[in-house]
């Protein structure tokens, strides 16, 4: 019995080693690579949903209208329901305006707002800014929060958002928020925080957007990054935008750009149309943005007949007289063999008579 058990154990170990060897050698080829290829192929013709400008505009209008209403209700009756409504609305406003990740704003601490830097711009630095930029520095306030991978990311606050946040701080205890709760957008009577994704999803439906499923923090961030390529920003300006959004500049350039399908339809199609219409030489030295071509332009009918002429046929037609007005190729006629021989004979006779005249003169 002991010997049979040892043989079974040895056979089991051999099978285990064989299975492990097959896993190490064949898993990437037979399983992982095919799974990745399947995932890539599923994204080939998938539509890219980006927020529509009209929906974003309607959402901003709805937030501005409700903000004043919720602040009046909270000032008159500071209870947890009114406080939670204003907190969710303000949370959505900050995420939408700054295009921030919803988790970053949701987990913002109360001390981040109360201990913010309220100093004005240094006079020497303000001298290098335009008049509009100086006004914007006075209009907005800026706070810094913890972002992805513990990076520092900024948040810009408008005067309306600042007013709402100050009202939330003033009525925090009346709403039943414990002092132990460190989060600014805290949940009343708990030590947790509100969820920004829930706030955006609910307000997107309430504002009457036609496509509320596109009004998410991730898609809003991709929306501003993608449309920033239309502005033709310089490298340093692109770096500033990427830092504000919390992106690495390499990731920003690789993923957050105009969709590949849009570029092919709008840019590369110009080259293909120019090749089809035979006008590619007309756009010599131009960039893709400078090429202007009509996609409805039809090919000229004479192109096909022009191409039917060969070099030999053109050689045969040298005896035909050319008109002073310059006749087109379509009116050219080819010489027959008899006409060609007659022309050659006439050329020979004229040359012989010219020689005889020269001899008689001599």
């Amino acid at each position: 019995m002991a010997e049979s058990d040892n043989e079974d154990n040895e056979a089991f170990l051999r099978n285990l080693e064989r299975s492990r060897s097959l896993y190490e050698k064949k898993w990437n080829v037979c399983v992982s690579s095919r799974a990745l290829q399947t995932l890539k192929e599923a994204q080939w013709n998938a539509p890219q949903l980006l927020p529509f400008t009209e929906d974003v505009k309607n959402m901003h209008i709805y937030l501005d209208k409700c903000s004043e209403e919720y602040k009046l209700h909270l000032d008159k009756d500071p209870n947890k329901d009114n406080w939670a409504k204003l907190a969710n609305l303000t949370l959505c406003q900050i995420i939408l305006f700054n295009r921030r990740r919803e988790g970053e704003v949701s987990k913002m601490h109360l001390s981040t707002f109360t201990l913010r830097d309220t100093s004005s711009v240094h006079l020497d630095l303000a001298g290098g800014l335009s008049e509009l930029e100086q006004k914007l520095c006075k209009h907005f306030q800026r706070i810094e929060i913890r972002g992805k991978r513990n990076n520092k990311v900024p948040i810009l606050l408008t005067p309306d958002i600042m007013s709402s946040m100050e009202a939330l701080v003033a009525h925090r205890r009346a709403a039943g928020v414990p002092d132990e709760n460190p989060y600014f957008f805290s949940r009343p009577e708990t030590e947790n925080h509100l969820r920004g994704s829930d706030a955006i999803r609910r307000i997107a439906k309430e504002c009457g957007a036609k496509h509320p499923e596109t009004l998410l923090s991730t898609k809003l961030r991709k929306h501003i990054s993608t449309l920033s390529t239309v502005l033709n920003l310089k490298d340093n300006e692109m770096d500033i935008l990427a830092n504000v959004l919390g992106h690495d500049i390499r990731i920003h350039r690789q993923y957050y750009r105009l969709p590949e399908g849009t570029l092919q339809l709008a840019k590369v199609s110009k080259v293909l149309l120019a090749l089809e219409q035979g006008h590619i030489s007309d756009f010599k030295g131009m960039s893709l943005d400078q090429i202007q071509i009509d996609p409805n332009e039809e090919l000229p009918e004479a192109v096909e007949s022009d191409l039917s002429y060969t070099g030999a046929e053109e050689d045969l037609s040298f005896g035909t007289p050319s008109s002073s007005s310059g006749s087109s190729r379509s009116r050219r006629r080819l010489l027959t063999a008899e006409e060609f021989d007659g022309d050659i004979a006439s050329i020979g006779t004229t040359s012989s008579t010219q020689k005889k005249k020269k001899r008689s003169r001599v």
Side-chain angles (χ1 to χ4, degrees), residues 211-227:
H211 303 277
E213 68 278 1
T214 62
L215 297 176
L216 302 176
S217 62
T218 303
K219 296 187 183 298
L220 288 168
R221 288 167 59 78
K222 189 168 185 179
H223 181 245
I224 183 177
S225 302
T226 302
L227 294 183

Side-chain angles (χ1 to χ4, degrees), residues 262-307:
T262 304
L263 288 175
Q264 292 173 353
L265 289 173
K267 307 289 185 181
V268 182
S269 60
K270 296 181 182 180
V271 180
L272 299 180
L273 281 174
L275 290 171
E276 181 190 22
Q277 299 176 4
H279 297 161
I280 191 65
S281 60
D282 297 341
F283 306 110
K284 181 180 179 182
M286 294 186 181
S287 63
L288 291 178
D289 294 331
Q290 295 173 336
I291 295 177
Q292 302 294 330
I293 192 168
D294 185 9
N296 297 322
E297 183 178 352
E298 297 181 357
L299 292 175
E301 296 179 357
V303 172
E304 186 176 355
S305 61
D306 291 346
L307 296 177

Side-chain angles (χ1 to χ4, degrees), residues 44 62 87 92 100 112 121 126 129 145 164 253 320:
W44 283 354
Y62 177 82
C92 183
R100 290 253 64 87
T112 304
V121 181
L129 301 177
I145 63 174
S164 299
R253 289 173 176 170
T320 58

